[in-house]
Amino acid sequence: MKVLQVNCVYNKGSTGKIMGDIHAELKRQGEQAVICYGRGARTSDPDVYKSCSELYAKLNNLVSRFTGLMYSGCYLSTAKLIRRIRKEAPDVVHLHCINGYFVNIPRLVTFLKNSGIKTVLTLHAEFMHTANCAHALDCDRWLVGCGHCPRLRKETKSLFFDRTHISFQKMKEAFDGFDNLTVVSVSPWLSERARRSPILAGKDHRVVLNGLDTDIFRVYPDAGQLRAELGVGDAKMIFHATPHFTDDKDHIKGGYYILRMAENFLARGVNAKFVIAGNYPSGLAVPENVILLGRVSDQVRLAGLYAAADLTVIASKKETFSMIVAESLSCGTPVVGFEAGAPEQITVPQYSRFVEYGNTRALTDAALDVLNAAHDKLAVLEAGKQKYDKAEMVRRYLEIYKENK
């Protein structure tokens, strides 16, 4: 069996690592495996191919601002990717996150449909069934074909035209009649939404939780040393990881609410430090009990931070999965957060608490309740490992690959 995977990035970000884990396991089991990706640095790794230059991707990004179509264009890089698929002649093509202005999604999907190649589509975000935004949030325009987009500039970056309905029609036409397709969602919440979309309704839908490397995300014996290095001392350590940390109240990752929560802890006299991993804007003002680390790209370092913490907090408005939840629990640290769709479904309930979105007081109370409860880190870790170990994720995908249509 030969499996060819396509993703925006390779060996970076959650989707790049997930794709890499599947690729490595396929090869370990003696199967043939190929990766195609569009963005990021070129690699000399065997059987891994970059299909788009960074300059061409940036050009397509710019053009989309004028056309209002995010997932079209990219004619040269799409043709290159299709040539690679034809050359490799895989038994299965597995699509992950294929946004990023490196491929014409409707054109690629139409090619796969017409070629008869068995295709697996993993939904890590919502853009494949909305045809526009990655997170539809409270908008339900995608249920009726989009158009009259209430967040046009923010979601599509279009400078002039609302072409969200045209984008929707293009995506729907591409998927219509695509029978040799399995749609995998990374959470039940996301799967339920995908099933309702006119684009993917009636397809074969499955749920496979994201997995991670539990040899990295685990309990670390030198957690006390790391706490000392950070200046936490004997204070409670509350950890928050995010790609971008900001005090913008409307930002989807909820940094604004983390800062309000830190102020609540100060007001209540709680001896705690909020340690934040993620890029942040220069000059960002934070309460005295907040430590900004900036981006932490080293996975062992990141795992050590989870393991050193007494609690991890997330404040997203919406999440299709939440690797933060999986990583924290796998390192033995409980989680609190806002109800955001998927996190409260994919978590280990006895080691997590979720409250109404935007209710900072309830989030603070939940955090204090969890901090005051006795949790055995090894018990939390074991529960996380059983649920999120990448071996189970890969096993599920292999079963799907080998099914006969």
Side-chain angles (χ1 to χ4, degrees):
M1 179 179 65
K2 178 185 269 192
V3 177
L4 185 149
Q5 296 185 87
V6 185
N7 192 51
C8 179
V9 294
Y10 167 62
N11 260 356
K12 62 184 287 190
S14 58
T15 59
K17 291 175 209 162
I18 287 165
M19 179 177 68
D21 287 340
I22 296 170
H23 182 75
E25 183 61 20
L26 283 167
K27 292 207 161 195
R28 191 191 70 79
Q29 294 192 22
E31 307 286 0
Q32 294 177 283
V34 178
I35 280 176
C36 294
Y37 70 105
R39 302 302 303 272
R42 292 192 179 274
T43 179
S44 58
D45 291 356
D47 301 315
V48 179
Y49 304 96
K50 192 173 191 287
S51 63
C52 184
S53 73
E54 291 303 292
L55 180 61
Y56 189 64
K58 290 175 182 177
L59 176 63
N60 278 290
N61 185 347
L62 178 63
V63 169
S64 75
R65 308 288 177 99
F66 293 92
T67 65
L69 298 172
M70 290 188 292
Y71 307 124
S72 295
C74 306
Y75 298 108
L76 297 178
S77 53
T78 302
K80 182 177 180 180
L81 175 58
I82 288 174
R83 285 197 301 272
R84 172 57 61 181
I85 295 172
R86 283 182 171 139
K87 181 178 180 180
E88 297 293 337
D91 300 292
V92 179
V93 169
H94 186 169
L95 306 177
H96 292 274
C97 265
I98 51 175
N99 56 352
Y101 305 99
F102 81 99
V103 64
N104 185 311
I105 297 178
R107 182 166 289 199
L108 174 62
V109 170
T110 299
F111 161 74
L112 292 170
K113 176 176 66 177
N114 293 338
S115 70
I117 300 173
K118 178 174 180 174
T119 303
V120 176
L121 167 64
T122 293
L123 303 179
H124 297 276
E126 294 201 90
F127 63 88
M128 293 296 281
H129 66 258
T130 66
N132 292 288
C133 52
H135 294 280
L137 301 179
D138 298 324
C139 177
D140 60 4
R141 295 290 304 156
W142 54 279
L143 292 171
V144 293
C146 288
H148 305 291
C149 181
R151 295 184 294 128
L152 178 68
R153 184 67 61 86
K154 186 168 186 177
E155 289 299 331
T156 72
K157 309 296 190 298
S158 177
L159 296 174
F160 304 109
F161 309 113
D162 183 346
R163 302 188 73 187
T164 53
H165 177 66
I166 294 174
S167 179
F168 190 95
Q169 288 299 111
K170 285 177 174 286
M171 195 76 85
K172 186 175 185 305
E173 288 171 9
F175 279 103
D176 280 351
F178 196 167
D179 298 322
N180 201 13
L181 171 72
T182 301
V183 180
V184 176
S185 296
V186 296
S187 67
W189 177 84
L190 183 59
S191 182
E192 187 273 333
R193 288 170 72 84
R195 292 168 191 265
R196 293 167 60 203
S197 169
I199 293 173
L200 296 178
K203 305 300 183 190
D204 177 15
H205 286 266
R206 314 287 181 89
V207 174
V208 177
L209 299 187
N210 287 335
L212 50 79
D213 189 342
T214 53
D215 289 333
I216 294 176
F217 291 94
R218 56 182 176 83
V219 171
Y220 284 79
D222 57 352
Q225 180 181 336
L226 181 53
R227 289 169 65 98
E229 174 192 324
L230 294 169
V232 172
D234 60 356
K236 294 291 186 181
M237 177 174 162
I238 300 170
F239 184 55
H240 176 68
T242 180
H244 303 286
F245 187 75
T246 172
D247 58 357
D248 178 0
K249 190 174 183 179
D250 294 328
H251 195 275
I252 193 171
K253 294 299 182 181
Y256 169 87
Y257 296 103
I258 301 296
L259 295 178
R260 302 294 80 77
M261 184 179 174
E263 291 171 350
N264 287 347
F265 269 62
L266 284 175
R268 298 188 190 191
V270 180
N271 184 20
K273 293 289 186 181
F274 286 72
V275 178
I276 314 296
N279 291 325
Y280 60 91
S282 175
L284 178 66
V286 299
E288 63 186 49
N289 58 346
V290 173
I291 300 170
L292 297 174
L293 300 180
R295 181 185 178 193
V296 178
S297 55
D298 182 86
Q299 293 294 284
V300 173
R301 172 77 171 180
L302 181 62
L305 290 165
Y306 281 119
D310 298 290
L311 178 69
T312 295
V313 60
I314 64 171
S316 303
K317 186 170 186 178
K318 281 289 180 286
E319 291 282 358
T320 57
F321 180 75
S322 182
M323 289 303 290
I324 306 302
V325 169
E327 289 167 353
S328 181
L329 293 173
S330 297
C331 291
T333 301
V335 176
V336 300
F338 290 139
E339 294 170 346
E344 57 268 32
Q345 288 185 339
I346 62 91
T347 192
V348 179
Q350 61 266 42
Y351 302 122
S352 58
R353 288 275 300 278
F354 293 92
V355 302
E356 178 188 12
Y357 176 77
N359 190 334
T360 312
R361 180 175 179 177
L363 186 65
T364 302
D365 290 342
L368 289 171
D369 287 346
V370 173
L371 287 171
N372 291 328
H375 291 298
D376 181 349
K377 274 195 172 285
L378 291 178
V380 180
L381 174 149
E382 188 57 35
K385 182 175 181 178
Q386 288 182 9
K387 191 155 193 173
Y388 308 118
D389 194 301
K390 66 181 182 181
E392 175 61 14
M393 173 192 70
V394 173
R395 184 190 69 78
R396 294 285 308 281
Y397 277 122
L398 286 171
E399 286 181 350
I400 293 171
Y401 294 158
K402 293 176 180 179
E403 287 178 357
N404 293 321
K405 281 283 187 180

